[in-house]
């Protein structure tokens, strides 16, 4: 069994993590997507059962979780978010850890948008990383991109951004910073530089 080096790719909303992970994949590396696994976990019967028991059957649709309705319901309610996390996170990390353990790659990337928001609980989930790479843009650019992407007002964009840990605090804690305020070519150059120096 190969003990892979695990590198987390994180950031905040509208910083451009997807562009970075595409560059990494283009270089031939495996990227485990925590959000994608979260969607897969929601399809599991035992998760749907727990969500029905915790939030009510109105959040189930033909036995599956109604993701849109559930997201809208828990958004900005910390207590409800904690309940949902207690149901979801262990199952998500069980799958992430399984994929890492069974990989034959020397380096694996894990796309984890909320890494810093749940950092204090990661050891409880059995997850350990070797490095954290942060995709960074200023809050001003975050707001502009989010407004354009989601067709929302600056107030709503700021509300979404402020629901996460401030990007500047994340920047202080990351091992490597991937600035994404300029062209795609410059972003690609920065990511390729980091990959060459792993």
């Amino acid at each position: 069994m190969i003990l892979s080096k695990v590198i987390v790719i994180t950031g905040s909303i509208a910083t451009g993590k997807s562009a970075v992970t595409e560059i990494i994949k283009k270089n031939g590396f495996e990227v485990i997507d925590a959000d994608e696994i979260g969607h897969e976990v929601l399809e599991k019967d035992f998760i749907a059962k727990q969500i029905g028991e915790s939030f009510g059957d109105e959040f189930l649709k033909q036995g599956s979780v109604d993701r849109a309705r559930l997201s809208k319901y828990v958004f900005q309610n910390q207590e409800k978010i904690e309940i949902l996390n207690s149901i979801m996170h262990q199952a998500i990390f069980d799958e992430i850890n399984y994929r890492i353990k069974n990989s034959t790659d020397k380096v694996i990337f894990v796309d984890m948008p909320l890494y810093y928001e749940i950092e204090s609980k990661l050891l409880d989930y059995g997850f350990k990383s070797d490095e954290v790479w942060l995709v960074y843009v200023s809050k001003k650019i975050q707001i502009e991109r989010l407004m354009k992407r989601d067709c929302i007002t600056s107030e709503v964009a700021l509300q979404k951004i402020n629901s996460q840990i401030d990007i500047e605090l994340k920047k202080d804690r990351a091992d490597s910073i991937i600035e994404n305020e300029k062209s795609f070519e410059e972003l690609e150059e920065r990511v390729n530089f980091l990959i060459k120096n792993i």
Side-chain angles (χ1 to χ4, degrees), residues 2 28-29 39 44 57 59 85 91 99 102 123-124 126 128 132 135-136 151 153 155 158 177 179 185 189 194:
I2 292 174
F29 292 94
H39 291 157
K44 295 183 181 292
D57 288 339
F59 295 99
N85 288 347
R99 293 189 191 184
N102 288 279
L123 285 179
D124 294 339
K128 187 178 182 302
V132 179
V135 187
Y136 173 85
C151 299
T153 64
E155 289 79 14
L158 189 59
I177 311 298
E179 295 201 2
E185 289 71 27
E189 188 178 319
L194 288 173

Side-chain angles (χ1 to χ4, degrees), residues 79-126:
E79 187 180 337
K80 291 183 176 69
I81 289 171
E82 289 296 329
I83 293 169
L84 182 60
N85 288 347
S86 70
I87 295 169
M88 296 282 296
H89 281 175
Q90 188 61 65
I92 291 170
F93 279 98
D94 284 347
E95 179 62 26
I96 291 172
N97 293 335
Y98 175 82
R99 293 189 191 184
I100 291 170
K101 185 179 177 183
N102 288 279
S103 176
T104 56
D105 295 339
K106 290 182 179 178
V107 179
I108 295 178
F109 291 87
V110 182
D111 181 355
M112 196 179 296
L114 299 179
Y115 174 83
Y116 286 112
E117 283 76 6
I118 61 170
E119 186 180 17
S120 63
K121 297 180 181 176
L122 290 175
L123 285 179
D124 294 339
Y125 300 134

Side-chain angles (χ1 to χ4, degrees), residues 153-171:
T153 64
S154 60
E155 289 79 14
V156 175
L158 189 59
Q159 191 179 42
K160 288 189 174 188
I161 290 166
N162 287 341
S163 71
Q164 300 178 345
I165 292 174
D166 189 280
I167 190 74
E168 300 301 332
L169 295 176
K170 294 180 180 182
K171 189 178 183 183

Side-chain angles (χ1 to χ4, degrees), residues 13-14 75-76 139-164:
I13 192 167
F75 180 65
Q76 285 218 310
K139 187 177 281 191
K140 179 177 178 289
I141 291 177
Q142 266 187 286
I143 292 168
E144 290 170 0
R145 288 182 180 175
L146 196 53
M147 287 171 65
K148 185 176 179 182
R149 189 189 79 183
D150 294 356
C151 299
I152 55 177
T153 64
S154 60
E155 289 79 14
V156 175
L158 189 59
Q159 191 179 42
K160 288 189 174 188
I161 290 166
N162 287 341
S163 71
Q164 300 178 345

